Amino acid sequence: MVPPVFPATGPVGPAPTSGIPTSPAPAGPSREQRPAVQEYAGAALGGPPTAGPTDPTAPAGPDRLGAGGSPDGPISAPPDAPGLTAPAPRRRLPVVLAVVLLLVLAGVGVAVVRPGPVADWLGGGAEDTRAEPAAPEPSPSAVLAGADPNAPEPTPDGVRAALDPLVGAAALGDRVNVSVADAVTGQSLFGRGADDGTVPASVTKLVTGVTVLAARGPGYRIPTRAVAGANPGEVVIVGGGDPTLAVDKNGFYPGAARLDDLARQVEQALGGAKPTKVIIDGSLYSGPGLEPGWDEDIPTGGYGSPITALMTDGARRDVPQAKRDHEAGNHAAERVSEPDLTAGRAFARLFGLPNSAVSRGTAPVAGGDATAGAPGSELGKVESMPLVRLVDIMITDSDNIIAEALARQVALARDKPGSFVGAGAAMDEVAGELGLPADELSLADGSGLSRTNRISPSLLTDLITLAGNGSRPELAAIFGGLPVAAWSGTLGDRYETAGTEAGAGVVRAKTGTLSSVNAIAGLVTTKDGRLLTFAVLTDRVPGGSDPARVALDRIAATLASCGCR
């Protein structure tokens, strides 16, 4: 089969990460116990992107250094686990990822609007309810050329000769763990500390995306409900964990569920009567709103907030300003300190109620009385975009708030507490169920803000292989949001120098950046047209982030430019 032409997302900006220790999640099956991961012959990356329409709401920009935008100082030393030998070759199973992804979307019955050029091809915003377009849309041209499944395969000796001088670059520090594998055969081509748990930063979001798609399914939508309170005039808004919920049509996330829609449903259910009091039920989540080991500036640095079961617009305080900043390439935004109360007060204002009419509480249990307005009876419900879309935004924008919400969805799907600890344990469990080496995974959060997260490079290349081999087609959704070198997302302004430009348009990967930590994991097509998976994680970077990024980019660019035979 010929691998697909995979359309790329439009340019969007990053969300940096930061944090420190918490208890690790329990380990799952070891690498020796797991079944061999089958081949991935999918997301085609070949030539550079062609010109196409752009999305002004999604500009490109680099990852930031840390929560405050500057180096935070050294991290605690990662555990020194001895690396294992190179993984055994995986058996071949050619697939076409584009077909797999389309089948996933058709199967769940959702229309997905992706950021960037693809938004114009797949349809407009949520308010476009036309059954058919007014005029026929032209078929999109290829954004990325297809890889050649019959292209010569690099050899381990060839890859080693090409990469050995680069992985020792001083800018990367003395702990550089790498995994490179052929995407068609599954053969490991290069490993250096490949099985060692390493601080991953935002690369963590690949694990979050795969585990939530496996646990919930790509078509799942997160509900926000309103029920009648215990006393007359009370309405309880029950948070379901949708971080993209908007107040009205002017929300930050296009296509999001809206509180004004919920308010209309409530008023209709009450026969035109308006509530006199709003109670917020955020009991779906437990534990602290901030991961205990996160750096102190996470809540104030613009890229994180307390994680609550009810919030609007990713807890952004000033949505119009956040939109303008996002368009200008600045993706930090001031966040509110109490997202649940802020959302509840916005809901109350839709009924003309003051802030004093809002309080926290729990919804009464519905009884046998089916009368509208009986305590606990449902008065309305709105639902988020499907998870496939939320995963797309999370990966493309490196959105930390969405990542933490999706991690909790994994926990809830596995009947674990909706907390940081519950999410970490659940993601570990699901990774093990998928046959990934969960003993090489330990997560304190789902965004990568925590420095106590540990992921091995080979787990990441295995994960990418699994997502594309067709055995779990719902996992293919992670590929839609991967940034493209020199064009979109956190790679939008990278791979533009003489030493790295060979990777432009043929590297597609998720990046991660903390002070002293730089990581990248994804796909690259060689000059012969061979598709490879790679992951490079460094967590003892001695200097600034920019030299380390260039050194990482040279590794992927070298894979792109060499036949490595």
Side-chain angles (χ1 to χ4, degrees):
M1 281 187 178
V2 178
V5 173
F6 220 90
T9 58
V12 286
T17 53
S18 173
I20 54 179
T22 58
S23 301
S30 68
R31 180 172 292 277
E32 290 77 6
Q33 295 170 328
R34 80 186 193 284
V37 179
Q38 296 171 338
E39 169 214 298
Y40 161 75
L45 297 171
T50 60
T54 58
D55 181 356
T57 66
D63 274 351
R64 73 196 253 280
L65 297 176
S70 60
D72 302 312
I75 62 171
S76 56
D80 293 320
L84 303 179
T85 57
R90 282 79 168 179
R91 64 187 179 88
R92 180 169 180 164
L93 179 63
V95 295
V96 178
L97 267 186
V99 174
V100 170
L101 183 54
L102 289 174
L103 288 175
V104 170
L105 301 181
V108 299
V110 297
V112 179
V113 182
R114 299 195 181 283
V118 194
D120 293 327
W121 305 336
L122 295 182
E127 297 198 18
D128 184 0
T129 58
R130 296 173 297 172
E132 296 180 358
E137 294 283 349
S139 299
S141 58
V143 176
L144 299 175
D148 181 359
N150 300 311
E153 181 179 355
T155 65
D157 287 344
V159 175
R160 184 180 305 109
L163 296 191
D164 267 344
L166 301 178
V167 297
L172 295 176
D174 61 1
R175 183 176 164 88
V176 185
N177 294 334
V178 186
S179 175
V180 179
D182 183 81
V184 176
T185 65
Q187 172 70 47
S188 174
L189 298 173
F190 184 86
R192 170 173 166 166
D195 302 331
D196 292 355
T198 317
V199 182
S202 276
V203 171
T204 302
K205 294 181 177 74
L206 292 176
V207 178
T208 303
V210 161
T211 55
V212 76
L213 289 167
R216 284 295 200 198
Y220 183 80
R221 296 172 184 263
I222 303 171
T224 302
R225 301 167 51 241
V227 303
N231 301 305
E234 292 180 349
V235 170
V236 184
I237 181 169
V238 183
D242 177 10
T244 66
L245 182 67
V247 177
D248 53 32
K249 66 181 181 179
N250 299 313
F252 185 83
Y253 300 98
R258 290 161 40 178
L259 287 179
D260 60 352
D261 288 339
L262 186 62
R264 279 190 289 270
Q265 294 178 40
V266 169
E267 194 164 348
Q268 183 177 5
L270 295 177
K274 294 184 178 181
T276 57
K277 185 175 183 180
V278 171
I279 298 172
I280 304 160
D281 184 347
S283 60
L284 189 67
Y285 286 0
S286 59
L290 299 171
E291 203 279 319
W294 281 357
D295 289 351
E296 291 182 357
D297 61 351
I298 289 297
T300 59
Y303 293 90
S305 79
I307 307 302
T308 54
L310 178 66
M311 66 167 61
T312 54
D313 301 303
R316 290 168 177 84
R317 182 180 297 277
D318 185 339
V319 172
Q321 184 62 49
K323 285 182 173 181
R324 290 191 292 271
D325 290 344
H326 194 270
E327 292 168 5
N330 174 18
H331 308 290
E334 185 181 0
R335 314 284 171 147
V336 298
S337 59
E338 296 180 301
D340 55 344
L341 277 178
T342 299
R345 288 166 179 165
F347 187 63
R349 284 195 295 274
L350 295 171
F351 296 107
L353 298 176
N355 289 347
S356 59
V358 180
S359 61
R360 294 186 177 98
T362 56
V365 177
D369 187 354
T371 304
S377 62
E378 185 171 287
L379 303 175
K381 181 174 74 172
V382 293
E383 295 181 320
S384 72
M385 294 174 279
L387 285 190
V388 64
R389 175 69 175 116
L390 298 183
V391 168
D392 220 28
I393 298 170
M394 173 188 69
I395 292 176
T396 304
D397 287 4
S398 201
D399 192 308
N400 294 316
I401 309 303
I402 290 181
E404 297 302 347
L406 295 184
R408 279 164 171 72
Q409 289 299 318
V410 183
L412 297 170
R414 286 293 182 270
D415 296 321
K416 297 186 184 299
S419 63
F420 286 106
V421 173
M427 288 190 288
D428 188 284
E429 180 179 293
V430 173
E433 293 170 0
L434 291 172
L436 297 171
D439 59 326
E440 298 172 15
L441 174 69
S442 178
L443 297 178
D445 66 21
S447 63
L449 289 170
S450 177
R451 298 178 187 273
T452 58
N453 289 340
R454 296 290 184 272
I455 304 176
S456 72
S458 58
L459 182 144
L460 292 167
T461 52
D462 284 355
L463 177 148
I464 293 167
T465 298
L466 175 65
N469 70 14
S471 64
R472 297 292 299 260
E474 71 275 20
L475 306 185
I478 67 165
F479 296 110
L482 283 179
V484 178
W487 192 45
S488 68
T490 54
L491 296 182
D493 61 352
R494 292 168 62 165
Y495 294 88
E496 296 177 334
T497 64
T500 64
E501 62 187 358
V506 296
V507 172
R508 188 165 195 168
K510 182 73 191 79
T511 61
T513 305
L514 300 171
S515 59
S516 303
V517 177
N518 281 87
I520 188 168
L523 302 147
V524 59
T525 304
T526 71
K527 71 174 184 179
D528 293 328
R530 195 76 182 187
L531 189 67
L532 308 179
T533 64
F534 72 98
V536 188
L537 278 64
T538 67
D539 57 13
R540 294 178 187 168
V541 175
S545 182
D546 288 344
R549 284 177 182 154
V550 172
L552 287 179
D553 293 349
R554 284 178 179 149
I555 292 173
T558 296
L559 291 172
S561 63
C562 84
C564 296
R565 300 194 303 275

